[in-house]
Amino acid sequence: MTEEDIVSLVLKKNELGLTIIAEKYEKLLVYIAAQILGNRTRDIEECVNDTYLKFWKNASNYDYTRASIPTYLKVIVRNTAINRLRDLKRHEDKTHAEDVFTLESEISDSTQNIENQLVRKENMNRLNRVISNLPEKDRELMIRKYFYLQSSKIIANAMKMSVTAVDSRLSRLRTKVRNEFNAQS
């Protein structure tokens, strides 16, 4: 069955289309959600189910000429998992400042006054400048760890490094980025 046929079924609200999508892509979606959410099995399942629901509700917006179904689903599950992680972080009250400082800096709090919003935006711009000035490999490490929220093991495999080397380098990079960020104040 082609992607067009599958989307056609979903647009007609035929559950067979969703069943086919789940059979073909569930492992991929679970893998992506698990990379972001860790071992939170219930949250991973909810993210994957939310992904199916979002696709079901918004199938009319899907354009198979611009992206394949798995690509479209990967974006949905990634964003859903990141949003879920943000919610969990807020509820758990476990702030690992060094591991989450980049993610938290991207969250805009609408209750802040204008001055605080401007300061936050300037801080984000300074952080982006510091990171963009890093050597390519260091920049990739930071992006993989703090934007894509990949584990050290996955980063090590992708970048052909040991897990210890990844953790050590990230530790040095956090210190370097913090020092350069503070120097730009």
Side-chain angles (χ1 to χ4, degrees):
M1 186 170 272
T2 68
E3 288 189 355
E4 295 168 8
D5 295 335
I6 296 169
V7 172
S8 177
L9 288 171
V10 173
L11 286 171
K12 293 175 187 172
K13 300 301 181 198
N14 184 334
E15 292 182 13
L16 177 62
L18 210 52
T19 302
I20 293 169
I21 288 173
E23 288 174 2
K24 286 179 108 174
Y25 305 116
E26 183 151 1
K27 286 182 182 179
L28 173 66
L29 300 178
V30 167
Y31 174 79
I32 292 169
Q35 295 307 305
I36 296 169
L37 294 169
N39 60 355
R40 295 177 175 105
T41 307
R42 188 176 59 89
D43 293 311
I44 292 168
E45 289 174 8
E46 287 182 22
C47 278
V48 172
N49 289 335
D50 288 349
T51 300
Y52 296 143
L53 181 62
K54 288 175 184 178
F55 185 76
W56 179 264
K57 287 182 175 180
N58 298 303
S60 61
N61 297 332
Y62 172 68
D63 181 2
Y64 55 85
T65 62
R66 294 184 65 202
S68 64
I69 289 177
T71 301
Y72 191 70
L73 292 172
K74 286 190 284 189
V75 170
I76 295 172
V77 77
R78 178 187 174 276
N79 291 338
T80 303
I82 288 173
N83 289 337
R84 169 74 90 194
L85 182 64
R86 287 177 182 159
D87 291 342
L88 290 170
K89 294 291 182 188
R90 281 189 211 115
H91 289 96
E92 290 174 355
D93 274 339
K94 293 181 181 177
T95 55
H96 302 291
E98 291 199 318
D99 290 344
V100 187
F101 81 97
T102 304
L103 184 62
E104 288 175 351
S105 72
E106 294 176 2
I107 300 172
S108 176
D109 185 359
S110 61
T111 62
Q112 292 179 335
N113 65 33
I114 300 296
E115 183 179 348
N116 287 344
Q117 289 179 6
L118 290 173
V119 169
R120 184 182 206 87
K121 186 173 182 173
E122 178 55 34
N123 286 341
M124 286 173 40
N125 289 335
R126 282 188 9 229
L127 182 60
N128 285 333
R129 280 194 304 270
V130 170
I131 291 173
S132 68
N133 288 329
L134 292 173
E136 186 176 339
K137 191 170 186 175
D138 291 345
R139 189 170 50 248
E140 183 179 353
L141 273 168
M142 295 290 285
I143 290 170
R144 283 178 177 272
K145 184 68 173 182
Y146 301 110
F147 181 74
Y148 292 116
L149 304 172
Q150 292 180 339
S151 69
S152 297
K153 183 178 179 181
I154 289 175
I155 295 170
N157 288 336
M159 297 184 71
K160 297 181 178 29
M161 299 171 68
S162 69
V163 174
T164 306
V166 167
D167 290 338
S168 175
R169 195 161 186 168
L170 282 168
S171 176
R172 288 192 305 271
L173 279 170
R174 281 192 302 268
T175 302
K176 179 179 180 178
V177 166
R178 186 180 304 110
N179 291 339
E180 289 183 27
F181 179 84
N182 290 333
Q184 288 186 12
S185 311

